Amino acid sequence: MSNTLGRIIRLTSFGESHGPAMGGILDGLPSNMPVNIQEIQKELDRRKPGTSKITSERKEPDRLEILSGVMEGKTLGTPLGFIIRTADQISKDYDHLKDVFRPSHADYTWEKKYGLRDHRGGGRSSARETANWVVGGSLVRPILEREGILISTYVSGIGSIDLAQNYHFYSEEEVYAADTRCPEKAIGKRMEELVKKAKENNDSLGGRITCVIKNVPPGLGEPVFD
């Protein structure tokens, strides 16, 4: 199993949903690059659970701690290590899942692949792992913006409801104005009602995310893949 993303800049992450901390090492960052902890924390606050009625009720502060690779607000060019400590894990709530595979989750696949799984909140396959990706992405984002590359990501579909516009570039203000992260208010409200109805029926819904990237220079990437 690979826990590393990227080639030129590499993020190797670690941690389980109910472990003491999540974290990672970001290697390959250029030196002398400003690191804005407040901006990274803002992105983590957007991701964390418990921010609305349609997200997980788990309460995690998700406070970023940088352990290495930064001095006086700038990167050193050495490996940047960070952790996000866990605060609100209630492992006993998952005892009934120790011998049960949840539908549409990674439980069954994990058990078959490794012969052992952490049933507490999904372990390593928990969505909590995405906190590490948010930190990595937030640190790399200024490099892209320096080149004029801009990214817009939003929820474009939940269940049977979809946005009519495909590949439209929305501002962050438009995206984060709604709990569903759908930038069209009327459609986002319908999505929210659909999620609440599914929750009342002890059910869940699939979703779709659209990512639009502007100003990508010609020739970026490889001829076939990447």
Side-chain angles (χ1 to χ4, degrees), residues 30-36 68-77 80:
S31 62
N32 209 38
M33 188 180 77
V35 175
N36 190 326
S68 65
V70 176
M71 185 177 72
E72 298 177 352
K74 293 185 178 180
T75 57
L76 291 168
L80 190 154

Side-chain angles (χ1 to χ4, degrees), residues 1-219:
M1 176 182 177
S2 174
N3 295 284
T4 300
L5 300 171
R7 293 184 181 179
I8 297 173
I9 299 176
R10 298 171 300 282
L11 171 65
T12 301
S13 65
F14 64 85
E16 290 80 39
S17 179
H18 285 215
M22 308 293 288
I25 295 177
L26 201 61
D27 203 4
L29 284 174
S31 62
N32 209 38
M33 188 180 77
V35 175
N36 190 326
I37 300 294
Q38 288 73 28
E39 283 298 312
I40 300 172
Q41 189 61 55
K42 183 176 75 173
E43 297 296 336
L44 279 171
D45 290 344
R46 286 172 167 173
R47 189 221 69 91
K48 70 181 181 182
T51 56
S52 77
K53 294 180 180 179
I54 60 171
T55 63
S56 167
E57 296 176 2
R58 182 173 174 175
K59 301 290 185 181
E60 288 288 354
D62 281 356
R63 305 305 300 179
L64 174 65
E65 297 179 42
I66 293 183
L67 306 178
S68 65
V70 176
M71 185 177 72
E72 298 177 352
K74 293 185 178 180
T75 57
L76 291 168
T78 55
L80 190 154
F82 66 88
I83 61 170
I84 303 164
R85 299 184 189 275
T86 302
D88 187 30
Q89 73 276 42
I90 307 175
S91 298
K92 63 181 179 63
D93 286 353
Y94 292 84
D95 287 348
H96 65 291
L97 295 173
K98 190 171 184 179
D99 301 308
V100 177
F101 297 136
R102 287 171 290 179
S104 301
H105 207 282
D107 291 359
Y108 178 77
T109 304
W110 200 280
E111 183 88 10
K112 288 299 180 181
K113 185 176 179 69
Y114 298 103
L116 180 69
R117 67 184 172 94
D118 185 348
H119 64 282
R120 305 167 304 167
R124 183 86 177 115
S125 62
S126 168
R128 182 152 175 74
E129 159 68 9
T130 60
N132 293 326
W133 306 349
V134 169
V135 175
S138 298
L139 285 162
V140 171
R141 186 174 181 177
I143 300 175
L144 302 179
E145 291 177 342
R146 187 180 62 195
E147 301 300 321
I149 299 174
L150 303 175
I151 302 172
S152 174
T153 308
Y154 49 89
V155 172
S156 55
I158 293 179
S160 59
I161 302 174
D162 286 284
L163 278 177
Q165 298 188 73
N166 289 323
Y167 311 119
H168 185 76
F169 195 95
Y170 291 95
S171 68
E172 287 190 353
E173 290 74 20
E174 290 175 303
V175 175
Y176 287 97
D179 289 340
T180 55
R181 302 298 186 247
C182 174
E184 296 290 341
K185 290 183 179 179
I187 297 177
K189 189 65 179 177
R190 288 172 54 205
M191 290 178 177
E192 185 175 342
E193 293 303 319
L194 193 65
V195 170
K196 289 179 179 178
K197 185 176 180 180
K199 187 176 181 179
E200 290 172 359
N201 294 327
N202 295 318
D203 203 353
S204 61
L205 297 165
R208 291 162 293 286
I209 297 172
T210 295
C211 179
V212 181
I213 307 176
K214 291 176 65 175
N215 306 324
V216 176

